[in-house]
Amino acid sequence: MQEEEKKEISGTGSLTGEALEAEDVLAGAEPWDPIETKLVVWSFIAALIALIIGLLVVPTSIFFH
Amino acid sequence: MTDLSNRKWYTGMTTQEDWWAVWLGLGFFCLGLLTLAGVDLVGWIAYPKKWVFSLPEGAVAKKIVTPDKAFYALGGKYSITAKGFYKSLGPIGSILVTYLVFTVATTIGAYFMKWNIKRYITGWTIIFFLTYLVWFIGHHAFFAATAVDLKKSKFPDMFTLSLGGGASFILALIVGLIIGNFFKGFASYLSTAAKPEWFIKTAIVFLGVKVGYLPIKAAASSAKLGKEVAGLTGELFIAGAAATVVAYLIFWPGVYLISRKIFKLPRKTAAVLGSGISICGVSAAVATGGAVRAKPVVSIMVSALVVVWAVIELIILPGFFTHVWPRTDDPLVAGAAMGMSVKTDGADAAAGELMDEFMRTKIERDTHGAVQWPEGIITVSAVMTKIWIDMFIGLWAFILALLWVYRIERRPGERVMASEVWHRFPKFVLGYFAAWFIYLAIFFGPGHAGAPEGMDVLKAATAGAVPVEKGMRKFFFMLTFMSLGIITDFKKLREAQFGKMVWVYFVALFLFIIPVAILIAYIFHHGMQIPNIAPQ
Amino acid sequence: MHTEYLIRHNGKSWVAENELCSLSASTLEELDLKVETHLRQTGLLKKGERMRVFMFFDNSTIPEWIRQYAQHYFNRVIEVKG
């Protein structure tokens, strides 16, 4: 990335353009951990529960149509 | 210079844009309330009218006027106590007063936020007058007039683009984008004053006045309609909350999965992208970055992408929802979906407002004026889901912080502070709710829900509410469109370093986020109707 | 017992500083260790004593254009034992 562009993105914060050398931000993915499965699955389950409660509680939901 | 604005729960009150949106918004809201005591201090705001260079024969200057009358002080129409004075300001006078008042008010904010004052004032002055110029041009009858406007002003049939106030918004965005992409030196000079997020947060506090005022306005037709509108805004509030929670809990893990499994990104980057793409963009990216203890650069990179994509959505979605699906059949599904799809407050509220203009103009045209919707309800629906999301992110970031610190990275000795939830809470929301509930209280309290004995109070409240919810709010929306354009540089998407993230964003946004947003908005908002206020 | 630091990131490493010292490390784990060692060496943290170390984020790390969108990165607290 050009120096100028880096500066433009980093703007006037104390982080300088150099800070945007961020290959390690995109590379070096850790192996998938079981806790991540839990996080994702529980999040979906929570969404499902919220959806069911929402359907029953929100008067404008399609459940009442 | 160090900035410890979040050392204590109150330390950011004078130094953060978020708080300054509350002070500005509530300041003018309070000035507006003074009309209840017979003092009108808000009627000066200059508001545009549709215009043509010269009126055709037989036409009357009613909805469409000549250029010398293209702006008027709203108090000249709505004030009870100072109508004559505000009328006497004329177009130039009211614009100058508007300039003076807002220059002083926003410069005080800029001073406390320690911006470069000289640069702020010059930048602001340029943006201010450019915005008013665009507002003027965008109201030329060719762009803005609808068939109903033409009929009311006894104009002969002529071709117009019928964009309503939407034309000015589009034009402001185009002018801003031209500056931001072709005159980069100038754009960077203006950037001290081009603060779309600050402007829109202030406008959202003004929108709070609008939500509270909507029933008052409807009650002018009938008390029944007033109550109906009050009920509708309440329903939007509840449906918006439910839709947001469900959507976010599907969005976040979905994007996290896509980033980790398909694009093989590291955990922290995936988490930050998950929040950034999922819903509340920059604020979420920063909040999540902090929560998972990522290096700030991750959030900064994601943020740079978010703002550009949000503007692309702002350009595509209002037209798509208005003309392809769900069109005017389900306007509030479209509004709620907008709030869940567009990533920044500025672009979302702007897109909602644009769609409000498009849809109202469309239904009026399609039904030859038999159906007319009150202005702003679609905007409210788009902002309502967004506001819930803004509040929810603080909580979600807290959950992620707990998970990351205690489970994923297991850092011994570190504790997560509950005060984080407050520091991440969007403060402008407080201004929005305060303004809404106070006007609602006036409607149901001394306004007797629109019964005849409350009408005097409601009229007095109207005189103070309209300049704020209509004049100031629209002006701050205009400022948002203009400054969004100025700070948006599409070139950022081409930078190779972002390559992978640009694609994750594209795939996640168009193939996952927007369809799910539409589905969930449909589940909770399908069939909600905007009341018809056309004279029967 | 508690002590306070300001924390920021300079692009390469995390920096924790107060009027007494400035410590930096590339990861937060290392930073915490350095803070703990420093507190012990200077005698601020006595043997057997527990101390809470607050680290308030210096918001000026975040570019100015982003601050209008998000006003908070993080504040952290760690507990160290002498």
Side-chain angles (χ1 to χ4, degrees), chain A residues 43-57:
Chain A
S43 191
F44 282 133
I45 292 174
L48 191 69
I49 296 169
L51 178 67
I52 294 167
I53 296 174
L55 278 172
L56 299 175
V57 171

Side-chain angles (χ1 to χ4, degrees), chain B residues 366-378:
Chain B
D366 292 353
T367 60
H368 304 287
V371 177
Q372 289 175 28
W373 287 338
E375 182 191 3
I377 291 186
I378 299 171

Side-chain angles (χ1 to χ4, degrees), chain C residues 4-67:
Chain C
E4 288 181 11
Y5 286 86
L6 169 157
I7 184 168
R8 62 190 164 82
H9 196 273
N10 65 13
K12 290 201 163 58
S13 30
W14 293 101
V15 182
E17 54 192 358
N18 59 18
E19 44 307 339
L20 298 174
C21 66
S22 173
L23 305 165
S24 65
S26 62
T27 65
L28 286 172
E29 288 81 357
E30 288 170 40
L31 186 73
D32 294 352
L33 271 179
K34 279 193 178 177
V35 166
E36 205 176 325
T37 317
H38 176 264
L39 288 171
R40 245 185 243 135
Q41 281 171 352
T42 52
L44 289 166
L45 179 66
K46 308 215 164 47
K47 213 165 170 55
E49 207 176 55
R50 273 175 182 273
M51 187 188 247
R52 301 197 112 196
V53 182
F54 289 89
M55 297 186 191
F56 296 103
F57 193 76
D58 176 4
N59 225 22
S60 68
T61 305
I62 304 291
E64 194 190 308
W65 72 267
I66 291 185
R67 282 178 235 160

Side-chain angles (χ1 to χ4, degrees), chain B residues 202-443:
Chain B
T202 309
I204 289 176
V205 179
F206 294 151
L207 186 71
V209 175
K210 166 143 223 126
V211 191
Y213 165 71
L214 274 169
I216 299 179
K217 183 180 176 173
S221 309
S222 77
K224 183 172 159 273
L225 196 62
K227 281 185 206 150
E228 208 178 303
V229 171
L232 179 65
T233 52
E235 282 171 1
L236 280 174
F237 179 76
I238 296 167
T244 300
V245 175
V246 175
Y248 201 99
L249 291 172
I250 296 175
F251 286 163
W252 193 90
V255 178
Y256 187 82
L257 264 181
I258 294 174
S259 316
R260 287 280 284 151
K261 292 278 188 192
I262 303 177
F263 289 91
K264 309 276 182 233
L265 288 172
R267 263 181 220 142
K268 286 181 180 176
T269 309
V272 175
L273 259 177
S275 290
I277 304 177
S278 281
I279 221 136
C280 36
V282 179
S283 48
V286 174
T288 308
V292 303
R293 310 299 190 239
K295 290 192 286 185
V297 59
V298 182
S299 297
I300 294 170
M301 288 175 70
V302 173
S303 301
L305 279 184
V306 166
V307 288
V308 179
W309 276 110
V311 170
I312 295 175
E313 292 185 271
L314 160 63
I315 294 168
I316 299 174
L317 291 182
F320 179 84
F321 285 150
T322 308
H323 297 289
V324 182
W325 189 89
R327 295 188 287 180
T328 46
D329 300 335
D330 242 339
L332 300 177
V333 169
M338 189 77 86
M340 291 188 283
S341 316
V342 182
K343 303 298 164 274
T344 64
D345 296 333
D348 165 55
E353 179 79 355
L354 195 55
M355 190 164 71
D356 194 282
E357 296 282 354
F358 285 171
M359 287 213 176
R360 281 187 300 112
T361 316
K362 185 172 188 314
I363 191 100
E364 193 178 304
R365 196 179 54 215
D366 292 353
T367 60
H368 304 287
V371 177
Q372 289 175 28
W373 287 338
E375 182 191 3
I377 291 186
I378 299 171
T379 312
V380 171
S381 69
V383 170
M384 202 69 91
T385 39
K386 194 81 184 75
I387 279 179
W388 278 113
I389 287 160
D390 288 345
M391 293 192 280
F392 188 68
I393 179 60
L395 199 62
W396 184 248
F398 184 66
I399 294 171
L400 285 181
L402 292 174
L403 212 68
W404 240 264
V405 171
Y406 297 148
R407 299 295 301 274
I408 295 182
E409 292 189 340
R410 294 171 193 275
R411 218 174 280 118
E414 177 160 5
R415 297 276 167 273
V416 178
M417 290 191 264
S419 61
E420 297 287 275
V421 177
W422 167 249
H423 288 311
R424 295 208 173 92
F425 186 85
K427 315 299 184 302
F428 73 98
V429 168
L430 300 174
Y432 171 80
F433 284 133
W436 174 7
F437 293 150
I438 289 173
Y439 270 103
L440 204 62
I442 293 170
F443 175 70

Side-chain angles (χ1 to χ4, degrees), chain B residues 438-504:
Chain B
I438 289 173
Y439 270 103
L440 204 62
I442 293 170
F443 175 70
F444 282 112
H448 295 276
E453 62 270 30
M455 279 330 254
D456 283 346
V457 173
L458 294 185
K459 268 189 192 144
T462 298
V466 172
V468 178
E469 63 86 20
K470 186 180 172 118
M472 298 184 193
R473 185 179 65 87
K474 291 244 174 174
F475 172 59
F476 271 76
F477 268 93
M478 283 295 292
L479 285 174
T480 303
F481 275 94
M482 179 71 81
S483 40
L484 256 182
I486 292 173
I487 66 158
T488 302
D489 180 0
F490 287 123
K491 208 172 144 217
K492 282 182 190 152
L493 286 189
R494 286 215 309 267
E495 279 161 13
Q497 192 172 13
F498 286 157
K500 211 175 192 179
M501 284 211 217
V502 172
W503 283 105
V504 185

